[in-house]
Amino acid sequence: MIDLRDTWWIGPVEIPTRLVLAPMAGVSVQAFRRQGRRFGAGLVCSEMVSCAGIEHRNERTLGYLRVASDEHPLAIQLFGSEPATMAEAARMVEAAGADLVDLNFGCPVRKVTKTGAGATLLDDPDRAARIVSSIADAVEIPVTVKLRRGLRDGSRDCLVVGPRLVEAGAASLTLHPRSAQQMYTGTADHALTAELVSLVDVPVVASGDIVSRAKAQTVLATTGASGVMVGRAAQGNPWVLEEIVDGDAREPSREEVVAELVLFIRETVRELGERRASGFLKKFYGWYLGRGRFPRPFKQELVVLDSTEEVERRLVAAAPGSLALIERLEAEVPSGEDVTLELPISIYGGG
Ligand SMILES: Cc1cc2nc3c(=O)[nH]c(=O)nc-3n(C[C@H](O)[C@H](O)[C@H](O)COP(=O)(O)O)c2cc1C
């Protein structure tokens, strides 16, 4: 049996467990990543951040570069297609305090691929390699890449592109072995992950359909991957991370679910502000309260409420015992601006 509590390394960066929390656009805010670390993820990652947005100093984009002091080790993920712009953005990522800069060579969404970024790069190994080498030259922190198997169904392009990226300086690869065409249908073919592991001498992380400890163990054992990445299974369910890492399979009580959700709401409001947070959080209500934990109409009541304070009141009313847990969590988990909103002033160009 593989011990998920084993440490491993990406270059000089020590990763304390073999579980990696997946980057997910519209999900992987600081609150999500910090919670992931608390529940056993050894490495967390920001959602993909636009290099063009960084180049144009777009305020919302720069907000994605905020690193909390208790989420290390952390990767910030970039997407783009121009080596020079990406190298400049990588310097900002390093200055923001990330331990790793991760590159997105897997996003299948048209808005991204039509700009030559994301999964498109799997069709252009020369450009992909140039991007990696220009970033590796620009920063001291390790450069890692997350890729899909290829653009079209059945593609094995990752086995050609992956080793080229390592030659160009990538310190680790994460493979989600679905094609871009597949989006999220079908299954992740981790036989391909095993092939990639055999071709490169850097750690490989396996992403796709890791939903339980049994699956994590099987994928680690059959592929030789250094870590497994968990995405959708962790949405509204940090307890699955504990289960995967420690074998601690238990359904959280209603009080625990409410307490974690309330903390998540408070932290997200601090991070995004009430207006953005109240829309952003709606999908999380379904994720947390579903899985048979609360009756369906309760979730529907919450999503129509105007303020997160009102949501919090209803949640606590539904599980009054959660109050003591919330207090305990608030006391245990560092909070406040210095912990959660660390951002070098230089990023805003001095002021
Ligand atoms: C809502 C959502 C957003 C995602 N955003 C990103 C992203 O920003 N960058 C990235 O590399 N992968 C992204 N992914 C892919 C995941 O990181 C992961 O590779 C994929 O979901 C397969 O893993 P899973 O079966 O554990 O969910 C996203 C996936 C989902 C479901």
Side-chain angles (χ1 to χ4, degrees):
M1 272 260 272
I2 290 160
D3 187 355
L4 272 287
R5 285 266 171 206
D6 276 348
T7 62
W8 54 291
W9 298 78
I10 298 179
V13 179
E14 183 175 8
I15 316 289
T17 73
R18 285 162 167 273
L19 181 62
V20 182
L21 191 62
M24 288 185 281
V27 177
S28 299
V29 289
Q30 262 186 20
F32 184 76
R33 303 184 316 238
R34 298 174 70 217
Q35 181 189 57
R37 292 282 291 116
R38 251 189 314 124
F39 278 83
L43 176 65
V44 296
C45 187
S46 77
E47 68 175 79
M48 56 178 192
V49 183
S50 159
C51 289
I54 292 180
E55 189 187 14
H56 296 115
R57 301 293 187 267
N58 177 297
E59 201 172 320
R60 188 179 281 207
T61 309
L62 293 177
Y64 291 128
L65 302 183
R66 287 173 168 161
V67 175
S69 55
D70 62 348
E71 57 179 322
H72 298 283
L74 151 104
I76 290 183
Q77 189 186 65
L78 295 174
F79 73 96
S81 60
E82 287 302 322
T85 315
M86 292 190 75
E88 194 48 46
R91 283 197 197 95
M92 305 264 289
V93 163
E94 183 173 48
D99 303 283
L100 305 163
V101 54
D102 188 56
L103 307 180
N104 182 316
F105 290 2
C107 182
V109 176
R110 169 121 185 94
K111 201 171 98 187
V112 169
T113 54
K114 74 174 184 209
T115 66
T120 317
L121 289 161
L122 299 171
D123 246 4
D124 193 349
D126 289 337
R127 177 179 284 269
R130 257 186 292 128
I131 289 172
V132 170
S133 64
S134 67
I135 295 179
D137 287 344
V139 295
E140 301 280 322
I141 54 175
V143 183
T144 60
V145 184
K146 183 160 176 285
L147 46 161
R148 284 203 176 217
R149 64 182 296 162
L151 282 180
R152 282 159 292 277
D153 288 356
S155 169
R156 294 166 57 82
D157 287 348
C158 61
L159 301 179
V160 176
V161 180
R164 292 252 346 240
L165 302 180
V166 172
E167 262 171 54
S172 170
L173 301 174
T174 297
L175 179 64
H176 176 203
R178 280 188 172 87
S179 71
Q181 188 184 355
Q182 250 184 304
M183 301 293 284
Y184 292 94
T185 63
T187 51
D189 179 5
H190 285 295
L192 219 54
T193 312
E195 287 192 61
L196 183 64
V197 169
S198 72
L199 293 174
V200 296
D201 57 4
V202 297
V204 171
V205 176
S207 171
D209 305 343
I210 311 289
V211 295
S212 65
R213 181 173 173 85
K215 180 76 184 190
Q217 290 280 2
T218 305
V219 169
L220 284 171
T222 57
T223 62
S226 301
V228 281
M229 181 176 270
V230 177
R232 290 166 294 174
Q235 292 172 337
N237 196 24
W239 297 276
V240 78
L241 303 176
E242 236 170 33
E243 190 245 324
I244 291 174
V245 175
D246 293 324
D248 182 9
R250 65 184 183 94
E251 256 306 298
S253 67
R254 280 182 165 207
E255 286 72 23
E256 283 174 286
V257 171
V258 165
E260 279 300 331
L261 177 53
V262 166
L263 188 73
F264 188 79
I265 292 170
R266 290 182 184 174
E267 292 194 340
T268 306
V269 170
R270 268 200 292 268
E271 186 180 346
L272 303 180
E274 167 70 22
R275 251 193 65 168
R276 253 179 89 198
S278 69
F280 171 88
L281 284 165
K282 287 188 195 291
K283 56 185 176 286
F284 284 87
Y285 303 150
W287 287 338
Y288 273 88
L289 305 175
R291 304 172 204 268
R293 291 170 182 162
F294 284 84
R296 190 178 277 263
F298 183 49
K299 176 196 93 182
Q300 283 149 357
E301 270 172 48
L302 297 187
V303 295
V304 297
L305 296 175
D306 290 330
S307 77
T308 56
E309 261 176 43
E310 186 62 20
V311 171
E312 200 179 310
R313 257 197 301 279
R314 299 275 186 108
L315 283 168
V316 171
S322 62
L323 265 179
L325 289 178
I326 295 168
E327 263 175 43
R328 207 167 75 206
L329 278 175
E330 283 280 9
E332 277 171 18
V333 177
S335 65
E337 300 242 318
D338 358 325
V339 182
T340 54
L341 295 181
E342 201 176 282
L343 183 69
I345 289 166
S346 62
I347 288 209
Y348 282 123

